Amino acid sequence: MAPQEAQKVTRHGVSVATSLCFSKPAHTPPTIVLQNHAGHFSLGRAPLLDLILFSFPPVDTPSLPIVMFALASSRSSYSSSSRAVTSTLQRASRTSAATTGARTAIMAQTKRNSSSLPKPYAEDKSKGPMLRYQESLPKLPVPTLEETAKRYLKTLHPLLSQSEFERSQKAVEEFVKPGGAGQKLQEKLVAKREDPNTKNWIYEWWNDAAYLAYRDPVVPYVSYFYSHRDDRKRRDPAKRAAALSTAILDFKSQVDAGTLEPEYMKKLPICMDSYKWMFNASRVAAHPKDYPVKFSPDQNKHMVVIRKNQFFKLPTEVDGKQLNTTELETQFRRIYERAEPVAPVGALTTENRDIWADARQILLDASPKNKAALEAIESSSFVVCLDDASPVTLEERAHQYWHGDGANRWFDKPLQFIINENGTSGFMGEHSMMDGTPTHRLNDYVNDLIFGNKLDFDDPAVRSNLAAPEVIRFEITPKVQAEIERAQRDFTDLIGQHQLAVQAYQGYGKGLIKKFKCSPDAYVQMLIQLAYFKMYGQNRPTYESAAVRRFQLGRTETCRSVSDESTAWCRAMHDPKMDDKTRVDLFRKAVNSQIEYIASASEGKGVDRHLFGLKKLLEPGQEVPAIYQDPAYAYSSSWYLSTSQLSSEFFNGYGWSQVIDDGFGIAYMINENSLNLNIVSKGLGSDRMSYYLNEAAGEMRDLLMPTVEAPKAKL
């Protein structure tokens, strides 16, 4: 993910830290409840899913920010160390998403009245509905040096011994003293922020450090996935692919036209800039860092379909008219019939980015045809992968959507929809230019249209001039073949080192958690802390992503979930002599600490991005301040737990990789009567962590059940 300089940048950014729960009242569009996910802003090795989402405070905490997504339910109702540290940062980024732990209802968004918005928000109708508030969004703030120092030391205290903490305290005091290095760097950073030409002081630094300059493979370290709920009406994969594509194209038409309604946080519009990287875009491998490319949607009206490693160009319009669902199904059936196994050029995209950059040049040098083939793929609206697999269990599905066989994919594309032989489907996203919130909205929108039958999926007409999809052919020389074979070996080895487990806990869900008078997201964060303590006998640095999209070009900030309060509670739960009254009291304090941090982070007042920005301003050859040389700086941003929440009535799973080799990636969904946790690690015992999560969930229920008020008798 990030270059060496990016010591604390995350990789996953998709990070998801917000929980989205959807509830759908009759005759209304779906309501999405965002429960604080922690995106994973991790400093470690793999990017977190910055997927994520927004950070929100618990719904039960009105003072905390709440994010409102504009989900169009129908077109009529909506406008419509080093490597480890560096990697960690990057992975954490991908985890992106969630501010406070709040649940947020994403109800049907009606067009906002600009007169009701406070200054500086203002409409610019020339930008179109989707971007009409974009230029008036506030800039990302720069916290004061004093508040960051105070918060940083507070996060270090539960992680260090007394002597280690005193050393860190001294380094921090030296950094922030009047006339010190910190003050001078702060002045530079504030000046950068105030520069009229700067929309977001961290945007380019972060994109480079956490993603584009990150050299580890995007799969499994940057990519993230959603597993869709089964569509019982469309077990036939061609029918499923056609319905999904129809709904995707409906959403795409709104993005391309700029008519999609913005999303809102606390009733205020948030940044929609990243939507431009959703369709007709790609990441391109290069030295010393990758770069994104965007193609004209008007001149590239096609999707790419991959079957048996073979690429097909499928136009989505004929004579200016979009293909209907039956026509798309016809085209998919043609691909199923015509596809034949070929050399898996897509496997090259699984490689280390430097290796892939070199292999890409070898591919281009092999034949002029290969340049045209690459452009056809990179310029496509999105990718549909028709896989041979038929996953059934939650673990099988997670593996299929997270990485598959490493061949029937193009991992540099931001949108890949995967359809299996048994009609199951899912989504895979590349995280570099776009966090998880937009793709979450896309996938929910698409599935809502399908399950609600809100589009015409049954038009039987098939035009006679519908040409068969065109095969995209690569010329494979011996050198290219050698690169492909190496990529396949490396992919098999890397994925083989990872272990994935799914804890589908059926004991209870947010319905009971709310009766405990607790934020569901903060509750699960404490559940994860307790499970980790059970497994290791201590708590270690934990990442949760907070979304800062309320600011121009905002992406994510880190929520550090380990606190003095959370560690005290974990120790109390482990102490057989501790009484339950004290345990409950400590639990409440731990939850409140979690909520306070994520709320501040969502306001742009976390510590990780600020310290990262100050460090970026050091001049070449300038002495590195002691705060950055202190071992606690690297340790406290090494995400042993990279966590994030995202809930949807249309998903039965989602997840990503861990961010450091010694850590876990835990993605979780909080449903009404169940909890679903996806656990990934590099051979640390994901199955054992799953067991401890189950055990912790039971113990927490037993602890808090006596606090539930008995229902009042009816008179």
Side-chain angles (χ1 to χ4, degrees), residues 503 531 534 679 686-697:
Q503 172 58 226
K534 284 173 169 289
I679 306 117
S686 296
D687 52 341
R688 292 172 65 85
M689 176 57 74
S690 177
Y691 173 85
Y692 285 122
L693 288 165
N694 181 293
E695 185 174 72

Side-chain angles (χ1 to χ4, degrees), residues 81 85 443 567 605 668 683:
S81 146
V85 175
N443 278 265
T567 55
K605 294 187 176 182
Y668 55 97

Side-chain angles (χ1 to χ4, degrees), residues 521-533:
D521 184 77
Y523 181 97
V524 177
Q525 281 291 314
M526 293 306 107
L527 186 160
I528 293 170
Q529 289 300 312
L530 180 58
Y532 192 92
F533 188 90

